[in-house]
């Protein structure tokens, strides 16, 4: 019903419709690359810092990790609605990027006080919640319908370049600062990178207000998207699959403890997973456009199932686990948004993405809290087997919801 709203001419005006990806997509990818360098400089060390440094229990870390993602649910909805209502997708995204940049300076004042760190993280996640849906909407409005998988794949490849480089930059800054215990230099460097990302957005990303129909967005129309059975089925599938997804920090903490890795190597686990993501995001986005997007998404969760089983067994080569984990993200992150894009009218594109992403954020909150409690109560093997069982149940149900309803 909504396919006609995603027009082949929606790529850069005056540019060939069959260009590999639009210039706006590349610009947004560069913004995400630099911003992820900033974010990952900080977040790659947070699990080890909170659990090994501040001695939070695994259950407490599960709550923090769940709030870290789940707290963005309401801000995603608010950002999506405002961006659609006033047709200010670039402005709302810029506000989100700016808040995340300011949060990096807040870490300088937070010190080692867990509540202060939590408050700063909340500001950072508010920024992420505001920017994600408007950014993804700009990608779809700048791309033809039959190239959305490719466009999101290229964007996520650039994004994962930043995620790959961020932990390495943090380790380099710590080495140059002369102390592995002082993080002030990392926070300052992270802030500088975040500001550069905001500047790239302001200077090179174009809004797509000229491409939108004259109808104004409204809250009833935004939530009315759920009346479409295809979009509603996709949202339900996204939530089901989100409940099976535990936070990255849990995976890396399990691997660090299993292999008795030195604490200073903890950021390198994220580097390994992000390298696989980097190498696979574009090929899997292209594959999704060729064979269908829903099989690629379900295949990604099959890779996650294998990761859980390997973690439960206590065996499996570290590079294989990290590679499969990166494959999971490459097959699901951007491809799921490419699935949603053609189901949404252009004037409500941001609100639709926000609904999907908010459902996922709340699902991640539940999964992180439950996994932390299961780990503390029953140990790693049982907790991982429970997570694997959830994937086994969710995959066929999600397949039925997605197959035949999405492209």
């Amino acid at each position: 019903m909504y396919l006609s709203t995603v027009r082949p001419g929606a790529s850069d005006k005056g540019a060939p419709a069959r260009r590999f990806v639009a210039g706006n997509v590349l610009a947004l990818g560069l913004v995400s690359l630099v911003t992820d360098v900033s974010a990952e400089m900080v977040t790659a060390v947070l699990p080890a810092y909170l659990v090994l440094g501040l001695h939070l229990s695994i259950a407490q870390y599960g709550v923090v990790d769940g709030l870290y993602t789940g707290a963005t649910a309401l801000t995603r909805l608010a950002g999506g609605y405002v961006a659609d209502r006033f047709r200010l997708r670039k402005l709302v995204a810029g506000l989100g990027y700016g808040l995340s940049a300011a949060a990096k300076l807040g870490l300088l004042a937070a010190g080692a006080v867990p509540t202060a760190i939590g408050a700063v993280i909340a500001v950072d996640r508010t920024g992420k919640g505001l920017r994600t849906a408007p950014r993804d909407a700009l990608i779809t409005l700048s791309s033809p319908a039959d190239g959305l998988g490719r466009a999101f794949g290229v964007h996520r490849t650039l994004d994962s370049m930043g995620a790959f480089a961020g932990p390495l930059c943090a380790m380099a800054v710590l080495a140059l600062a002369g102390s592995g215990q002082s993080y002030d230099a990392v926070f300052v460097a992270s802030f500088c990178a975040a500001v550069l990302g905001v500047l790239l957005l302001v200077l090179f990303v174009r809004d797509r207000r000229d491409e939108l129909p004259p109808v104004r967005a409204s809250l009833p129309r935004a939530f009315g998207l759920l009346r479409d059975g295809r979009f509603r089925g996709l949202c339900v599938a996204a939530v089901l699959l989100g409940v099976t997804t535990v936070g990255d920090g849990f995976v890396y903490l399990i691997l660090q403890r299993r292999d008795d890795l030195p604490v200073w190597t903890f950021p390198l686990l994220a580097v390994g997973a992000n390298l696989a993501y980097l190498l696979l995001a574009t090929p899997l986005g292209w594959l999704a456009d060729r064979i269908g997007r829903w099989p690629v998404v379900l295949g990604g969760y099959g890779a996650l199932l294998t990761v859980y089983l390997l973690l439960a067994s206590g065996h499996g080569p570290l590079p294989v686990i990290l590679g499969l984990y990166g494959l999971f993200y490459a097959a699901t992150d951007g491809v799921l948004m490419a699935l949603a894009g053609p189901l949404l009218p252009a004037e409500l594109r941001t609100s639709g993405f926000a609904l999907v992403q908010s459902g996922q954020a709340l699902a991640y909150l539940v999964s992180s809290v439950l996994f932390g409690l299961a780990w503390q109560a029953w140990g790693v093997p049982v907790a991982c087997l429970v997570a694997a069982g959830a994937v086994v149940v969710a995959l066929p149900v999600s397949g039925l919801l997605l197959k035949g309803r999405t492209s």
Side-chain angles (χ1 to χ4, degrees), residues 46 49-50 54 64 103-124 187:
L46 272 181
Y49 177 61
L50 293 174
L54 300 185
V64 173
K104 305 305 185 296
L105 286 184
L107 288 170
L108 289 171
V113 181
T115 53
I117 294 173
V120 172
I121 287 174
V123 173
D124 178 72
F187 299 153

Side-chain angles (χ1 to χ4, degrees), residues 151-173:
F152 276 101
V154 170
H155 175 269
R156 283 351 189 226
T157 295
L158 291 169
D159 183 84
S160 58
M161 285 182 182
F164 172 77
L168 296 177
C169 290
M171 294 179 70
V173 170

Side-chain angles (χ1 to χ4, degrees), residues 36-393:
D36 247 31
V37 169
S38 168
E40 290 298 325
M41 287 181 73
V42 175
T43 59
V45 300
L46 272 181
Y49 177 61
L50 293 174
V51 175
L52 305 178
L54 300 185
H55 305 293
L56 267 66
S57 70
I58 291 297
Q60 288 174 320
Y61 172 72
V63 173
V64 173
D65 185 67
L67 291 174
Y68 184 76
T69 303
T72 67
L74 293 179
T75 55
R76 287 176 193 269
L77 289 173
Y81 171 70
V82 171
D84 278 340
R85 175 67 179 172
F86 300 102
R87 302 187 178 198
L88 298 173
R89 291 170 173 81
K90 177 178 173 179
L91 179 62
V92 174
L95 177 62
Y97 282 111
L99 279 175
S100 293
K104 305 305 185 296
L105 286 184
L107 288 170
L108 289 171
V113 181
T115 53
I117 294 173
V120 172
I121 287 174
V123 173
D124 178 72
R125 295 297 91 184
T126 297
K128 182 175 177 59
L130 287 175
R131 71 180 183 250
T132 304
R135 180 203 66 198
D136 286 348
L138 284 172
I139 292 173
T140 64
L141 291 169
S142 302
S143 308
D146 63 353
L148 287 177
R150 182 170 63 246
F152 276 101
V154 170
H155 175 269
R156 283 351 189 226
T157 295
L158 291 169
D159 183 84
S160 58
M161 285 182 182
F164 172 77
L168 296 177
C169 290
M171 294 179 70
V173 170
L174 286 173
L176 291 173
S179 173
Q181 300 301 316
S182 174
Y183 291 95
D184 287 359
V186 174
F187 299 153
V188 172
S190 175
F191 170 74
C192 292
V195 170
L196 177 58
V198 174
L199 290 176
L200 288 173
L201 178 82
V202 171
L203 295 175
F204 297 108
V205 173
R206 293 185 295 126
D207 214 332
R208 306 304 307 184
R209 300 172 71 181
D210 57 318
E211 301 290 345
L212 297 177
V215 181
R216 285 272 184 176
S218 66
L219 282 176
R221 292 193 71 224
F223 283 100
L225 292 170
L226 294 172
R227 288 195 294 267
D228 179 357
R230 297 176 303 165
F231 181 66
R232 185 173 62 250
L234 186 145
C235 289
V236 173
V239 170
L240 283 175
L241 294 171
V243 171
T244 71
T245 309
V246 305
D248 298 352
F250 283 119
V251 174
Y252 301 148
L253 284 169
I254 291 171
L255 292 172
Q256 188 269 335
R257 292 188 174 193
R258 186 196 75 171
D259 295 348
D260 195 24
L261 300 174
V263 175
W264 67 268
T265 65
F266 193 85
L268 295 178
L269 297 173
V271 170
N274 288 328
L275 176 60
Y277 188 176
L278 166 64
L279 295 176
L280 295 171
T282 296
L284 287 175
W286 176 86
L287 181 65
D289 286 337
R290 299 286 293 181
I291 70 171
R293 292 159 192 159
W294 67 269
V296 174
V297 170
L298 296 184
Y301 277 92
L304 181 63
L305 172 61
T306 307
V307 169
Y308 290 157
L309 292 175
L310 289 173
L311 293 176
S313 71
H315 301 291
L318 182 63
V320 172
I321 294 175
L322 293 178
L324 287 169
Y325 201 50
L327 187 155
F328 155 67
Y329 276 116
T332 58
D333 186 18
V335 180
L336 188 61
M337 294 302 101
L339 266 172
L343 304 179
L344 300 167
E347 69 273 15
L348 293 172
R349 191 71 49 79
T350 318
S351 299
F353 282 144
L355 285 171
V356 177
Q357 294 164 356
S358 295
Q360 283 189 302
L362 291 174
Y364 291 156
L365 188 157
V366 172
S367 68
S368 289
V369 172
L370 293 180
F371 189 84
L373 291 172
W375 179 347
Q376 184 156 311
W378 303 321
V380 169
V382 174
C384 289
L385 286 176
V386 170
V391 177
V392 170
V393 173

